[in-house]
């Protein structure tokens, strides 16, 4: 290495050092310390405890509680994801048309995404309330039901409600991403397809969808990650009930750490969650590698 | 083969009238270019024919059929877009097969038809590639292939060569001429490049601000422009247009320009024998030359050598003429040279309306045969 090259190398190190340090402080350190904690049995208020090795993991993997929560998390994630993508793509297609008040509609659609989850959940709980909720009131008035329905306190209603509110809250993200992509599809492609004899449906499947493929796979991956670890919306809406039927893994992590004061156990749950997410990540990486080497 | 008729067609975009009133009849098997400056309505005209734009008035016919209310896919036309508009996620083969697929052509026929088109356009080795992996000229051929595969009645081409470099453009020009000769299909070709229009077309429709200026063979357009717009638009360097007068005296006619008097042959004497008539005179650069003997003199203002020829600007009593001269012409600036006009090739336009006023008899029309 010549002196000049060495100086460049040192400069490079100096320039990336701050980033590496910050990443280490905010990502690597918490990650490692969570894994470390998961080998202990720790009482949260005092943070005192003893090493138990893999005992926490053994407990988790052999408990029906964990597997049920994992299943619940999958149901919630899959359900809300399907609705988010369906509504999101549909709304993006609609907003991409020359409809009346288009820019107003575009701003309004973003509303659920921007209001605070707490506020949104309070409003929805009021709508869902079985005694004075407007939803039951309207449905009874319309003659659809004749008894008030318990939307949040019974199954499968509670899961359906959580999934619906989740879809409502997060579909604007899909709209933004898909709409941005839709606007870059050249109009000429649609015109060429029309001349080639493609109808409305063919134009959607043959021109629009292929162009949306990349953005949709990114959006779906991000939404899976975010929905999988969603906490506040579910916690505030049902608290995990009824009977743990909407208690997803993040809610258990919280419950273990601060309800049962089992910090070590909570860490083990968190690490288990991370492993599941890792599977998604690897699947995605494999998929994107396949695409880039035709 | 079918003809195409625009009958009193009008197109307005809101309050912008792009095409006020278009009447055009394109013969069966013709190669017609729509030529004009930017914004004159060429693309709009083509898109109305394709069905991508709805006329706000009048009627468009393809063959026997009025197509105003016929969807683009049902018009039995094919179009090549300036941007090619190839489907990016499909291979070349799939792009070409797409119109067949959408029109329910039996799958068993696809390979043979794709092969025929691929052979014609030399696309064979490219069939498995995606558009992104092709050069501009190759993409252009694929776009042509997608248009050809279906055997449509009319081909529409919107500046298909404008994205290519000069050499490839010249090459594709010959290819297109050859293709038209071989297929004998009616083709409508939009361009703002007069060289393309002149070399490829059986007839050219010159447009300006939405109005059809002249619709005639290339040689007719060049030799007998219908008005001053066509006269100045066609030809490089442009035709010189200067104010002049025609004078009638005792059965003889004279052209007065730049303070000079040029006798006109009796055959040019117009029926309308006003004593003096103000006109706009048009002279192509090749129809003015340096005279050998005594003649009116003009001074040399500018000499622009281009290699094989020189473009000389002359000043004749305040009127500026552009002259095409030999590449090695030896002229000094300010020098007064005797000039000669080819009287039989002058163009006279009405000073006010700009319309051509030469009588038809003075020169036999050199029509280029339509069936090339
Ligand atoms: N969608 C539209 N909305 C409003 N005005 C339009 C629209 N399309 C075309 N025009 C107008 O119609 C006129 C003709 O446009 P057109 O695209 O046909 O021109 P062109 O001859 O193809 O020009 P170019 O050589 O630049 O492509 C122009 O004045 C243009 O501004
Ligand atoms: Mg155009």
């Amino acid at each position: 290495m010549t002196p000049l090259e060495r100086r460049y190398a040192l400069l490079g190190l100096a320039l990336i050092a701050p980033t590496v340090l910050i990443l280490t402080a905010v990502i690597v350190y918490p990650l490692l310390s969570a894994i470390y904690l998961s080998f202990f049995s720790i009482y949260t208020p005092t943070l005192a405890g003893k090493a138990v090795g893999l005992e926490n993991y053994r407990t988790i993997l052999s408990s029906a509680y964990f597997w049920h929560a994992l299943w619940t998390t999958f149901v919630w994630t899959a359900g809300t994801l399907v609705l988010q993508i369906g509504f999101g793509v549909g709304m993006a297609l609609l907003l991409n048309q020359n409809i009346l008040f288009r820019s107003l509609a575009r701003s309004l659609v973003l509303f659920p995404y921007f209001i605070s989850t707490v506020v949104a959940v309070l409003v929805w709980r009021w709508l869902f309330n079985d005694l004075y909720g407007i939803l039951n009131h309207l449905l009874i008035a319309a003659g659809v039901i004749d008894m008030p329905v318990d939307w949040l306190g019974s199954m499968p209603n509670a899961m359906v409600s959580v999934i619906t509110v989740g879809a409502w809250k997060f579909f604007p993200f899909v709209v933004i991403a898909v709409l941005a992509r839709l606007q870059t599809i050249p109009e000429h492609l649609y015109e060429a397809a029309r001349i080639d004899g493609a109808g409305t449906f063919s134009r959607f499947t043959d021109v629009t969808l292929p162009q949306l493929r990349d953005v949709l796979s990114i959006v779906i991956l991000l939404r899976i990650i975010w929905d999988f670890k969603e906490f506040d919306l579910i916690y505030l809406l049902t608290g995990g009930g009824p009977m743990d039927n909407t208690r997803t893994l993040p809610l258990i992590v919280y419950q273990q750490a601060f309800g049962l004061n089992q910090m070590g156990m909570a860490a083990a749950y968190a690490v288990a969650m991370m492993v599941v997410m890792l599977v998604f990540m690897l699947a995605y990486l494999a998929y994107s590698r396949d695409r880039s080497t035709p | 083969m079918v003809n195409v008729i625009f009958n009193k067609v009008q197109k307005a975009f809101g309050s912008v009238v792009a095409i006020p009133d278009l009447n055009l009849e394109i013969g069966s098997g013709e190669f017609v270019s729509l030529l004009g400056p930017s914004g004159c309505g060429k693309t709009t005209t083509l898109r109305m024919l394709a069905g991508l734009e709805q006329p706000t008035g009048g009627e468009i016919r393809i063959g026997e059929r009025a197509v105003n209310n016929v969807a683009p896919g049902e018009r039995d036309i094919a179009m090549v877009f300036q941007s090619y508009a190839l489907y990016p996620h499909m291979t070349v083969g799939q792009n070409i097969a797409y119109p067949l697929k959408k029109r329910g052509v039996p799958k068993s026929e696809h390979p043979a038809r794709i092969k025929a088109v691929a052979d014609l356009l030399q696309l064979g080795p490219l069939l498995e590639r995606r558009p992104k992996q092709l050069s501009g000229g190759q993409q252009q051929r694929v776009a042509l292939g997608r248009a050809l595969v279906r055997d449509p009645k009319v081909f529409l081409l919107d500046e298909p060569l404008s994205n290519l470099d000069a050499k490839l453009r010249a090459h594709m020009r010959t290819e297109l001429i050859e293709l038209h000769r071989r297929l004998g299909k009616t083709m409508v070709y939009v361009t703002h490049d007069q060289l393309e229009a002149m070399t490829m077309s059986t007839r050219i429709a010159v447009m300006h601000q939405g109005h059809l200026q002249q619709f005639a063979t290339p040689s007719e357009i060049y030799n007998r422009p219908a008005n001053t717009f066509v006269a100045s638009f066609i030809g490089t360097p442009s035709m010189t247009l200067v104010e002049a007068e025609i004078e009638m005296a005792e059965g003889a006619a004279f052209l007065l320009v730049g303070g000079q008097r040029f006798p006109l042959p009796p055959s040019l004497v117009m029926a309308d024998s006003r004593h003096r008539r103000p006109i706009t005179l048009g002279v192509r650069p090749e129809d003015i030359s340096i005279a050998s003997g005594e003649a009116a003199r003009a001074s040399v203002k500018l000499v622009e050598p281009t290699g094989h020829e020189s473009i000389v600007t002359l000043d004749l009593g305040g009127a500026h003429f552009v002259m095409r001269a030999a590449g090695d012409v030896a002229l000094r600036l300010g020098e007064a040279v005797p000039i000669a006009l080819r009287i039989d090739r002058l163009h006279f336009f009405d000073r006010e309306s700009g319309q051509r006023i030469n009588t038809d008899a003075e020169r036999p029309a050199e029509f280029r045969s339509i069936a090339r």
Side-chain angles (χ1 to χ4, degrees), chain A residues 109-217:
Chain A
V109 158
L110 302 184
F111 173 71
Y113 198 61
F114 288 144
I115 61 169
S116 126
T117 306
V118 180
V119 176
V121 168
L122 285 179
V123 172
W124 277 99
R125 283 179 62 140
W126 177 76
L127 294 176
F128 279 141
N129 191 287
D130 48 343
L131 296 180
Y132 50 82
I134 188 128
L135 189 58
N136 277 331
H137 177 78
L138 289 178
L139 288 176
I140 291 173
V144 180
I145 52 176
D146 44 31
M147 287 283 287
V149 172
D150 186 359
W151 294 109
L152 297 173
S154 69
M155 282 299 280
N157 298 3
M159 183 54 96
V160 172
S161 301
V162 169
I163 285 175
T164 311
V165 175
W168 172 83
K169 181 84 178 71
F170 298 118
F171 89 98
F173 176 79
V174 182
V175 176
I176 299 173
V178 171
L179 188 58
R181 185 68 185 89
L182 281 178
Q183 286 171 344
T184 66
I185 302 179
E187 186 60 29
H188 277 162
L189 289 184
Y190 291 105
E191 293 177 346
R194 276 169 75 190
I195 289 176
D196 286 343
T200 315
F201 185 71
S202 291
R203 291 203 295 276
F204 177 70
T205 55
D206 297 338
V207 179
T208 311
L209 266 191
Q211 301 262 343
L212 290 184
R213 210 172 112 163
D214 288 341
V215 74
L216 273 184
S217 46

Side-chain angles (χ1 to χ4, degrees), chain B residues 172-181 199-200 372:
Chain B
M172 287 310 297
R173 225 163 42 214
T174 18
E175 300 249 300
L176 277 176
I177 295 173
E178 171 66 15
L179 203 63
H180 176 246
R181 199 189 49 78
T199 52
M200 299 167 75
R372 194 176 29 217

Side-chain angles (χ1 to χ4, degrees), chain B residues 4 26 32 34 46 49 154-157 186-190:
Chain B
V4 168
I26 296 170
V32 166
L34 304 180
L46 195 74
L49 181 52
V154 184
F155 281 99
L156 312 181
L157 304 103
T186 311
M187 296 193 176
V188 186
Y189 186 96
V190 163

Side-chain angles (χ1 to χ4, degrees), chain A residues 23-87:
Chain A
L23 279 181
T24 310
V26 302
I27 294 182
V28 180
Y29 172 72
L31 189 70
L32 292 179
S33 88
I35 295 174
Y36 177 74
L37 279 179
S38 70
F39 299 126
F40 288 80
S41 170
I42 296 178
Y43 183 59
T44 309
T46 61
L47 284 182
K50 59 177 195 315
V52 294
L54 293 174
E55 186 56 35
N56 286 337
Y57 290 103
R58 218 168 290 138
T59 314
I60 288 177
L61 292 180
S62 62
S63 78
Y65 192 56
F66 168 77
W67 294 108
H68 181 253
L70 183 61
W71 171 247
T72 307
T73 313
F74 277 133
V75 171
W76 141 258
T77 304
T80 198
L81 181 75
V82 167
L83 289 187
Q84 282 169 26
I85 299 294
F87 277 128

